[in-house]
Amino acid sequence: MITAIIVDDHPLFAEGLKAMFKASDGIEIVEHTKNGNELPCILRNTQVDLILMDIDMPIMDGIATMELLKKEGFNIPILMLTMHQSMRKIKNSLEKGAQGYILKDASKPELVEAITKTSLRQNYFHPKINDQVFDYFRGRKSARAEADELSEREREIIECLAGGMNTKAISEALHISEHTVKTHRRNIMYKLDVKTSAELVKLAIEKGIIDIG
Amino acid sequence: MITAIIVDDHPLFAEGLKAMFKASDGIEIVEHTKNGNELPCILRNTQVDLILMDIDMPIMDGIATMELLKKEGFNIPILMLTMHQSMRKIKNSLEKGAQGYILKDASKPELVEAITKTSLRQNYFHPKINDQVFDYFRGRKSARAEADELSEREREIIECLAGGMNTKAISEALHISEHTVKTHRRNIMYKLDVKTSAELVKLAIEKGIIDIG
DNA sequence: ACCTGAATACCCCAAAAGTGGTATTTGCTA
DNA sequence: TAGCAAATACCACTTTTGGGGTATTCAGGT
């Protein structure tokens, strides 16, 4: 029997999963928390085989929670659970040491497979994102990967734009010249193929390049 | 025993709910579909006491599905299920005749209460949105309702902006003068308290004023 | 050593956005 | 019917964007 703890801010979803697994599945959700902060405390009192972690949570998201766990010295396989197939989030999760990545619109058998593999420290990718990940690590220029070719600096610029800053404000915030900000913005617009900053922000949110909350 | 059908594009969530309800709850999820289009067909073959409907779905969302049901002549209580507490979506749902409105971060007892009341054709609002709804229908100017005071036309303008259109393009698309577009945009920016169109779009998405897909 | 991507910075200039006003018409409702 | 909100439209003006270039530096990989 694989024991798991679920970290998700939606009680209904968590309780639903808990109720869904029967003994015949060989999986049991033994704990649930809405808050990443509480995880270390819970893990010190409860032995689990893996952590089922939602990425998109208020206050402390899945990525931040993973960092906390690493800092506290925990080494339990983590299966990331998310709604969006954002290459950036997948990348961040893997860099932080996640063992698997599955979408919330997966089916039960898929989740069972993901949990089973992850608990054995085998990697698991949901089929829907498999190709994407492949392409990314192969050529870094698949059809839907353009958005993820943005550099960290460019992402910063987008975040500033979404925050209502104009060229001057951004240049001051990032300690660079206004010229540079304009160059970055222009490059981003070219890469994302948009005509205005407004559309740029919309697309960035849509593709998960920046977060809203 | 209350029988319900769930319309949600996330199989895991739906299956979870299905598994969560025991006979002692007096509720049974008898059917599940990811697609609003299939609902009429299913309902003709299956007798249910209520429909548990997710608002945010790809292709055909909850609001559109309700319209379809009405057109087809169905009259089954509908409990809307959503992640976001967007006043606009609440308003739209109620206008289309939804019986209740509950958030996905509700607890199981809350959902049981919501389903029970809704099946008896009593209205149900999740506590988290109750105050918001009250304020809205009382004075239409509560603290967090400013965003929802936007007119339909203003929302159209935002959608155009998010689509990358400039003043001229918008004026042509909506058959109004560029002056009018500028006036609308200015009013929206004043209402939402933003300084740029980029921030305007971000806030509109954040508050659920416009949808992304 | 060479190439490439990323970050930086500059030029010019037309077009658009943003800011300050005012004003008319229409439809709803108190 | 008087009042109000919403949609419409206009003027004048400053600031910012967006699009066309070019160029240097620096880090990483072949």
Side-chain angles (χ1 to χ4, degrees), chain A residues 20-31:
Chain A
M20 197 173 76
F21 290 114
K22 313 224 172 1
S24 58
D25 295 312
I27 294 165
E28 190 188 356
I29 312 283
V30 292
E31 275 279 2

PDB file of all heavy atoms in Angstrom, chain A residues 20-31:
ATOM      1  N   MET A  20     -11.682   8.480  -3.560  1.00  0.00           N
ATOM      2  CA  MET A  20     -11.650   7.756  -4.817  1.00  0.00           C
ATOM      3  C   MET A  20     -10.803   6.488  -4.750  1.00  0.00           C
ATOM      4  O   MET A  20     -11.114   5.497  -5.397  1.00  0.00           O
ATOM      5  CB  MET A  20     -11.103   8.683  -5.900  1.00  0.00           C
ATOM      6  CG  MET A  20     -11.374   8.218  -7.316  1.00  0.00           C
ATOM      7  SD  MET A  20     -10.869   9.499  -8.482  1.00  0.00           S
ATOM      8  CE  MET A  20      -9.102   9.310  -8.453  1.00  0.00           C
ATOM      9  N   PHE A  21      -9.723   6.563  -3.971  1.00  0.00           N
ATOM     10  CA  PHE A  21      -8.814   5.417  -3.952  1.00  0.00           C
ATOM     11  C   PHE A  21      -9.313   4.326  -3.022  1.00  0.00           C
ATOM     12  O   PHE A  21      -9.572   4.569  -1.841  1.00  0.00           O
ATOM     13  CB  PHE A  21      -7.410   5.861  -3.550  1.00  0.00           C
ATOM     14  CG  PHE A  21      -6.744   6.678  -4.610  1.00  0.00           C
ATOM     15  CD1 PHE A  21      -6.437   8.010  -4.395  1.00  0.00           C
ATOM     16  CD2 PHE A  21      -6.441   6.109  -5.841  1.00  0.00           C
ATOM     17  CE1 PHE A  21      -5.838   8.769  -5.388  1.00  0.00           C
ATOM     18  CE2 PHE A  21      -5.837   6.879  -6.842  1.00  0.00           C
ATOM     19  CZ  PHE A  21      -5.534   8.196  -6.611  1.00  0.00           C
ATOM     20  N   LYS A  22      -9.436   3.138  -3.584  1.00  0.00           N
ATOM     21  CA  LYS A  22      -9.869   1.992  -2.785  1.00  0.00           C
ATOM     22  C   LYS A  22      -8.648   1.122  -2.513  1.00  0.00           C
ATOM     23  O   LYS A  22      -7.599   1.303  -3.135  1.00  0.00           O
ATOM     24  CB  LYS A  22     -10.914   1.200  -3.558  1.00  0.00           C
ATOM     25  CG  LYS A  22     -11.987   2.092  -4.172  1.00  0.00           C
ATOM     26  CD  LYS A  22     -13.351   1.568  -3.987  1.00  0.00           C
ATOM     27  CE  LYS A  22     -14.423   2.555  -4.434  1.00  0.00           C
ATOM     28  NZ  LYS A  22     -13.949   3.843  -4.990  1.00  0.00           N
ATOM     29  N   ALA A  23      -8.812   0.200  -1.596  1.00  0.00           N
ATOM     30  CA  ALA A  23      -7.702  -0.694  -1.228  1.00  0.00           C
ATOM     31  C   ALA A  23      -7.146  -1.392  -2.460  1.00  0.00           C
ATOM     32  O   ALA A  23      -5.942  -1.616  -2.574  1.00  0.00           O
ATOM     33  CB  ALA A  23      -8.173  -1.705  -0.203  1.00  0.00           C
ATOM     34  N   SER A  24      -8.035  -1.691  -3.413  1.00  0.00           N
ATOM     35  CA  SER A  24      -7.611  -2.418  -4.606  1.00  0.00           C
ATOM     36  C   SER A  24      -6.668  -1.595  -5.488  1.00  0.00           C
ATOM     37  O   SER A  24      -5.948  -2.135  -6.324  1.00  0.00           O
ATOM     38  CB  SER A  24      -8.834  -2.850  -5.422  1.00  0.00           C
ATOM     39  OG  SER A  24      -9.594  -1.707  -5.777  1.00  0.00           O
ATOM     40  N   ASP A  25      -6.682  -0.297  -5.297  1.00  0.00           N
ATOM     41  CA  ASP A  25      -5.776   0.543  -6.073  1.00  0.00           C
ATOM     42  C   ASP A  25      -4.362   0.513  -5.501  1.00  0.00           C
ATOM     43  O   ASP A  25      -3.412   0.909  -6.160  1.00  0.00           O
ATOM     44  CB  ASP A  25      -6.275   1.996  -6.095  1.00  0.00           C
ATOM     45  CG  ASP A  25      -7.599   2.139  -6.819  1.00  0.00           C
ATOM     46  OD1 ASP A  25      -7.718   1.592  -7.934  1.00  0.00           O
ATOM     47  OD2 ASP A  25      -8.507   2.790  -6.277  1.00  0.00           O
ATOM     48  N   GLY A  26      -4.261   0.071  -4.261  1.00  0.00           N
ATOM     49  CA  GLY A  26      -2.949   0.029  -3.622  1.00  0.00           C
ATOM     50  C   GLY A  26      -2.451   1.409  -3.216  1.00  0.00           C
ATOM     51  O   GLY A  26      -1.278   1.636  -2.985  1.00  0.00           O
ATOM     52  N   ILE A  27      -3.368   2.348  -3.122  1.00  0.00           N
ATOM     53  CA  ILE A  27      -3.003   3.734  -2.786  1.00  0.00           C
ATOM     54  C   ILE A  27      -3.916   4.249  -1.699  1.00  0.00           C
ATOM     55  O   ILE A  27      -5.125   3.992  -1.711  1.00  0.00           O
ATOM     56  CB  ILE A  27      -3.132   4.637  -4.035  1.00  0.00           C
ATOM     57  CG1 ILE A  27      -2.113   4.236  -5.103  1.00  0.00           C
ATOM     58  CG2 ILE A  27      -2.953   6.113  -3.657  1.00  0.00           C
ATOM     59  CD1 ILE A  27      -2.392   4.816  -6.465  1.00  0.00           C
ATOM     60  N   GLU A  28      -3.346   4.977  -0.771  1.00  0.00           N
ATOM     61  CA  GLU A  28      -4.182   5.599   0.250  1.00  0.00           C
ATOM     62  C   GLU A  28      -3.708   7.015   0.549  1.00  0.00           C
ATOM     63  O   GLU A  28      -2.526   7.241   0.806  1.00  0.00           O
ATOM     64  CB  GLU A  28      -4.156   4.773   1.547  1.00  0.00           C
ATOM     65  CG  GLU A  28      -5.200   5.264   2.537  1.00  0.00           C
ATOM     66  CD  GLU A  28      -5.083   4.599   3.906  1.00  0.00           C
ATOM     67  OE1 GLU A  28      -4.232   3.699   4.063  1.00  0.00           O
ATOM     68  OE2 GLU A  28      -5.816   5.020   4.815  1.00  0.00           O
ATOM     69  N   ILE A  29      -4.638   7.964   0.474  1.00  0.00           N
ATOM     70  CA  ILE A  29      -4.305   9.337   0.847  1.00  0.00           C
ATOM     71  C   ILE A  29      -4.501   9.431   2.355  1.00  0.00           C
ATOM     72  O   ILE A  29      -5.626   9.348   2.846  1.00  0.00           O
ATOM     73  CB  ILE A  29      -5.244  10.349   0.149  1.00  0.00           C
ATOM     74  CG1 ILE A  29      -5.374  10.066  -1.348  1.00  0.00           C
ATOM     75  CG2 ILE A  29      -4.773  11.778   0.415  1.00  0.00           C
ATOM     76  CD1 ILE A  29      -4.230  10.499  -2.189  1.00  0.00           C
ATOM     77  N   VAL A  30      -3.410   9.580   3.087  1.00  0.00           N
ATOM     78  CA  VAL A  30      -3.525   9.539   4.543  1.00  0.00           C
ATOM     79  C   VAL A  30      -3.642  10.914   5.177  1.00  0.00           C
ATOM     80  O   VAL A  30      -4.074  11.047   6.311  1.00  0.00           O
ATOM     81  CB  VAL A  30      -2.322   8.800   5.182  1.00  0.00           C
ATOM     82  CG1 VAL A  30      -2.378   7.325   4.816  1.00  0.00           C
ATOM     83  CG2 VAL A  30      -1.012   9.417   4.735  1.00  0.00           C
ATOM     84  N   GLU A  31      -3.223  11.938   4.430  1.00  0.00           N
ATOM     85  CA  GLU A  31      -3.263  13.270   5.015  1.00  0.00           C
ATOM     86  C   GLU A  31      -3.617  14.300   3.946  1.00  0.00           C
ATOM     87  O   GLU A  31      -3.506  14.038   2.751  1.00  0.00           O
ATOM     88  CB  GLU A  31      -1.897  13.634   5.619  1.00  0.00           C
ATOM     89  CG  GLU A  31      -1.681  13.141   7.032  1.00  0.00           C
ATOM     90  CD  GLU A  31      -2.332  14.052   8.069  1.00  0.00           C
ATOM     91  OE1 GLU A  31      -2.981  15.047   7.684  1.00  0.00           O
ATOM     92  OE2 GLU A  31      -2.188  13.757   9.278  1.00  0.00           O
TER      93      GLU A  31
END
